[in-house]
Amino acid sequence: MREIQSLCVYCGSSSGSHPAYTEAARAFGTRMAQEGITLVYGGGKVGLMGTVADAVIAAGGRAIGVIPRQLVEKEVAHTGLSELQVVETMHQRKTRMYELSDAFVALPGGFGTMDEMFEMLTWAQLGLHSYPCAFLDVRGFYGHLAASMDHMVAEGFVKPEQREHVWVGENVDTLFDWMRHFESTFTPKWITPATVDSNG
């Protein structure tokens, strides 16, 4: 069984248009603290980011934020965290969050959330890490994305084994159980010397 000590959560710096998103973020942060899992996230005090961090802290858990200096200067950094690490660039932020984490979960969010999570999926696809990656599907938020990933498989751009390594669902108990029992098997991408030669 895999031990999850630190979990990276990607989510919106906005709260979204429905209170269910905030409720889910709060419940998820509380559950992390109850499980004794450290939160690693983008260090903000606003939106779902702030909600999940507040919930972790309120429930007695540990929260580590990683934030670029530019955002600190804009006064959006959370000042009540267990630890706030300030970096110079967004690239350094993503790398440091990866270094601190044993698993990755996306709550609802926008372009930034997608960018961060899909970079981790790409790194897994390339064999650069073997950590679980999951999307918590609140109010069907990730239903269309899951269908799009299935379409990528059907059209030959993602291998079925790689798609199977991405969890999408709404049940938090199932999510934590899946992460703890996750076993990665690296499947090389389509590009090999043979395919390059055949396309030459």
Side-chain angles (χ1 to χ4, degrees):
M1 184 177 293
R2 182 184 293 261
E3 184 178 6
I4 307 294
Q5 296 183 335
S6 298
L7 174 59
C8 182
V9 174
Y10 302 126
C11 58
S13 56
S14 298
S15 296
S17 61
H18 197 282
Y21 298 131
T22 296
E23 293 166 6
R26 184 178 297 114
F28 194 77
T30 301
R31 177 64 178 272
M32 285 185 62
Q34 292 170 344
E35 296 279 346
I37 298 173
T38 296
L39 167 68
V40 177
Y41 86 116
K45 65 181 180 181
V46 295
L48 298 187
M49 294 174 66
T51 297
V52 70
D54 287 342
V56 169
I57 296 298
R62 178 171 169 76
I64 301 175
V66 183
I67 191 168
R69 189 174 306 280
Q70 177 186 12
L71 296 183
V72 175
E73 293 169 353
K74 291 183 178 180
E75 299 183 350
V76 298
H78 198 305
T79 57
L81 303 175
S82 309
E83 183 179 346
L84 182 66
Q85 299 188 12
V86 180
V87 296
E88 297 303 321
T89 68
M90 292 293 287
H91 292 295
Q92 291 175 350
R93 179 199 216 179
K94 289 193 286 187
T95 299
R96 185 58 182 148
M97 290 166 71
Y98 160 74
E99 292 172 344
L100 292 169
S101 304
D102 302 315
F104 303 89
V105 172
L107 274 59
F111 290 160
T113 301
M114 297 301 101
D115 169 55
E116 292 169 319
M117 191 58 162
F118 272 89
E119 183 160 10
M120 291 302 101
L121 294 178
T122 302
W123 287 12
Q125 189 180 47
L126 295 173
L128 300 179
H129 76 75
S130 58
Y131 299 132
C133 296
F135 292 85
L136 185 62
D137 190 24
V138 182
R139 295 189 74 246
F141 184 83
Y142 284 121
H144 292 295
L145 180 63
S148 181
M149 288 190 286
D150 292 339
H151 187 61
M152 293 175 194
V153 174
E155 295 299 309
F157 290 101
V158 173
K159 290 191 174 183
E161 299 87 350
Q162 294 164 341
R163 170 64 182 92
E164 290 168 4
H165 284 171
V166 184
W167 187 91
V168 182
E170 60 183 21
N171 188 289
V172 175
D173 291 333
T174 304
L175 169 56
F176 277 91
D177 185 66
W178 176 83
M179 288 191 294
R180 291 197 172 98
H181 291 89
F182 177 78
E183 294 184 9
S184 175
T185 55
F186 173 59
T187 304
K189 282 179 61 63
W190 307 102
I191 300 175
T192 66
T195 59
V196 172
D197 291 341
S198 66
N199 292 329

